[in-house]
């Protein structure tokens, strides 16, 4: 299981805050460089408010289990961006999420994990 129903509900509530899940633009330059050489086969795993796609200005695949419409299990992609997501995974679901990331990364995985103290506890 990638996420429990209760945690999905709590994350959906957090996404109502305009700032939560809005940092996808942080990786846009790295993604642009990859796309210039390899094509736009990109998946934003934990896309939140789709800030990466908006900043890039072209369509990419988006997955976020707490965002209706983007909660379907994603297809593999050449570049998978998972920015500031893994620190939010439930401990009991972590290995399932890591296995799923292994499944979807065809070539390059770009993962960023925040290590600053959390401002919110779920």
């Amino acid at each position: 299981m990638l996420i429990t129903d209760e945690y999905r509900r709590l994350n959906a509530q957090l996404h109502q805050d305009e700032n939560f899940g809005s940092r996808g633009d942080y990786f846009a330059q790295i993604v642009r460089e990859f796309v210039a050489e390899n094509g736009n086969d990109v998946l934003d795993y934990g896309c939140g408010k789709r800030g990466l796609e908006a900043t890039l200005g072209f369509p990419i695949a988006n997955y976020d289990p707490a965002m209706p419409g983007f909660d379907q299990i994603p297809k593999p992609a050449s570049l998978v961006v998972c920015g500031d997501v893994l620190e939010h995974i439930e401990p009991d679901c972590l290995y399932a999420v890591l296995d799923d990331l292994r499944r979807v990364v065809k070539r390059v995985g770009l993962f960023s994990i925040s290590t600053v103290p959390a401002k919110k506890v779920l």
Side-chain angles (χ1 to χ4, degrees), residues 4 17 29 35 38 41 44 54 63 65-66 70 77 81 86 104 110:
T4 63
D17 177 336
Q29 186 55 40
V35 166
N38 301 284
D41 183 23
D44 188 355
Y63 170 69
F70 302 101
V81 179
L86 292 172
V104 296
L110 174 59

Side-chain angles (χ1 to χ4, degrees), residues 2 12 19 71:
L2 299 178
N19 294 315
D71 53 354

Side-chain angles (χ1 to χ4, degrees), residues 36-77:
E37 294 182 20
N38 301 284
N40 64 346
D41 183 23
V42 177
L43 167 62
D44 188 355
Y45 194 102
C47 66
K49 294 181 177 63
R50 297 171 47 210
L52 176 59
E53 182 177 55
T55 302
L56 292 171
F58 57 84
I60 62 173
N62 291 286
Y63 170 69
D64 195 313
M67 299 295 288
F70 302 101
D71 53 354
Q72 299 301 310
I73 300 299
K75 295 178 182 175

Side-chain angles (χ1 to χ4, degrees), residues 22 30 57 74 81 96 109 115:
S22 62
I30 295 169
V81 179
T115 58

